[in-house]
């Protein structure tokens, strides 16, 4: 029997790139979907261009599915793609969802039942907030670099931030394990931390002044809108912060160790690994 081929949507992104690396390390062919493909292992794929879907799915056994980014109701785009995938012979679909999104979440929650209903074998990954938000292009990271401030509407609410390496490790198992998982996986890191605690850890590990500035939901919505995010999505993101403030993300699960056989990475270890990147910015005042 030939080795399976997995289509990795979002394959150039935070989790998808790690999933592709993990699949290859396991000896499995990963076909990376990208709007701007580079190299033989990448294929042009755009959620908004259905004509790109069939070639990406040709000869594929499984799909890592990162839904269209920034849409509050992506089901009308994802549903025909899923139907096409199953017709093309795909058996297993692993969906990237979010701990903050449940089946009841208007718009986005619909994706979970779509995948469960369409794919013969499936897993729904519901990771907590990514540690990678503190580095790279995410607004939290941009705030740290620009002013040494993390601005949220989360108050003292705590989040069990999870390392994208761990999300990808679970995704690879969900894609390749002989027995399909056919379940939702609520993925967290090993401890729940407030943004103030995160700021303190970053300051300790980097020697830089970093602090959390809590704001109200209305001010946060305004700030997100000013960064160019559409009004409905800005309101959605602010609502997620408010959920955190009320304790919705203050929980730790054992999914990462249970599925991968190793402990989930800690926030402090993550920051230590990214110390150079976090200290490079001249904008950050020394403590
Ligand atoms: N950040 C968090 O804390 C967090 C927590 C829980 C869940 N999540 C979920 O994670 C998801 C984001 O996943 P990620 O962080 O792995 O991805 P990401 O780093 O945001 O990358 C987005 C990917 O989507 C691709 N993409 C963008 N527009 C596209 C289009 N029109 N057609 C096809 N591909 C397109 C991009 O590929 P190209 O540019 O190469 O086309 C890129 O690979 C979101 O849905 C979010 O809900 C995030």
């Amino acid at each position: 029997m030939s080795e399976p081929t997995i289509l990795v949507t979002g394959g150039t992104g935070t989790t998808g790139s790690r999933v592709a690396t993990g699949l290859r390390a396991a000896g499995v062919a990963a076909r990376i979907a990208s709007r701007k493909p580079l190299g033989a292992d990448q294929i042009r794929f755009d959620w908004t261009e259905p004509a790109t879907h069939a070639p990406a799915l040709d000869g594929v056994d499984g799909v890592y599915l990162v839904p269209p980014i920034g849409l509050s109701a992506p089901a009308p785009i994802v549903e025909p793609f899923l139907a096409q995938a199953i017709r093309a012979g795909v058996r297993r679909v692993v969906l990237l969802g979010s701990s903050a999104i449940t089946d009841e979440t208007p718009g986005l929650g619909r994706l979970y039942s779509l995948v469960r209903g369409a794919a013969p074998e499936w897993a729904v990954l519901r990771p907590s907030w990514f540690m990678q938000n503190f580095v790279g292009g995410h607004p939290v990271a941009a705030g740290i670099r620009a002013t040494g401030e993390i601005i949220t509407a989360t108050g003292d609410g705590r989040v069990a931030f999870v390392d994208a390496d761990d999300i990808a490790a679970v995704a690879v198992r969900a894609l390749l394990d002989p027995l399909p998982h056919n379940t939702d996986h609520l993925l967290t890191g090993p401890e729940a931390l407030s943004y103030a605690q995160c700021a303190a850890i970053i300051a300790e590990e980097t020697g830089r002044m970093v602090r959390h500035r809590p704001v109200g939901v209305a001010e946060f919505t305004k700030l997100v809108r000013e960064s160019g995010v559409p009004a409905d999505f800005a309101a959605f993101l602010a609502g997620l912060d408010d959920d955190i403030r009320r304790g919705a993300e203050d929980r730790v699960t054992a999914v990462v160790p249970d599925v991968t056989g190793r402990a989930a990475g800690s926030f402090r270890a993550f920051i230590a690994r990214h110390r150079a990147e976090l200290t490079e910015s001249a904008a950050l005042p020394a403590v």
Side-chain angles (χ1 to χ4, degrees), residues 21-72:
T21 301
L23 290 170
R24 288 186 186 129
V28 170
R31 184 182 296 165
I32 292 175
S34 171
R35 289 164 298 174
K36 293 183 181 160
L38 298 168
D41 61 348
Q42 300 199 1
I43 189 155
R44 201 172 102 69
F45 177 87
D46 192 326
W47 281 112
T48 64
E49 288 183 42
T52 63
H53 298 183
L57 288 165
D58 187 36
V60 160
D61 307 277
V63 175
Y64 178 67
L65 204 164
V66 178
I69 305 290
L71 293 185
S72 45

Side-chain angles (χ1 to χ4, degrees), residues 156-241:
D156 294 330
R158 299 195 303 168
V159 179
F161 293 96
V162 62
D163 191 328
D165 287 355
D166 290 331
I167 302 169
V170 171
V172 168
R173 292 271 45 94
L175 285 161
L176 300 185
D177 279 346
L179 281 180
H181 291 195
N182 292 354
T183 192
D184 291 11
H185 284 309
L186 188 63
L187 303 175
T188 73
E191 61 183 337
L193 298 167
S194 68
Y195 276 97
Q197 289 173 309
C198 291
I201 289 171
I202 297 169
E204 283 162 23
E205 291 294 325
T206 64
R208 298 289 178 173
M209 187 103 79
V210 180
R211 72 177 191 108
H212 177 224
R213 176 152 72 91
V215 296
V217 170
E219 185 178 352
F220 187 73
T221 310
K222 183 168 160 281
L223 290 171
V224 175
R225 283 214 61 187
E226 283 168 5
S227 73
V229 174
D232 62 340
F233 207 63
F236 172 71
L237 293 175
L240 297 184
D241 266 26

Side-chain angles (χ1 to χ4, degrees), residues 9-16 33-36 45-48 64 66-69 96-99 101 127-130 133 138:
T9 65
T12 59
T14 304
T15 63
S34 171
R35 289 164 298 174
K36 293 183 181 160
F45 177 87
D46 192 326
W47 281 112
T48 64
Y64 178 67
V66 178
I69 305 290
L96 178 66
S98 163
S99 63
I101 296 166
S128 176
W129 295 69
F130 301 175
N133 296 350
H138 192 276

Side-chain angles (χ1 to χ4, degrees), residues 7 31 53-63 80-91:
L7 176 69
R31 184 182 296 165
H53 298 183
L57 288 165
D58 187 36
V60 160
D61 307 277
V63 175
F81 169 81
L82 272 175
Q84 192 169 15
I86 305 311
R87 281 198 304 275
V90 167
R91 282 201 60 75

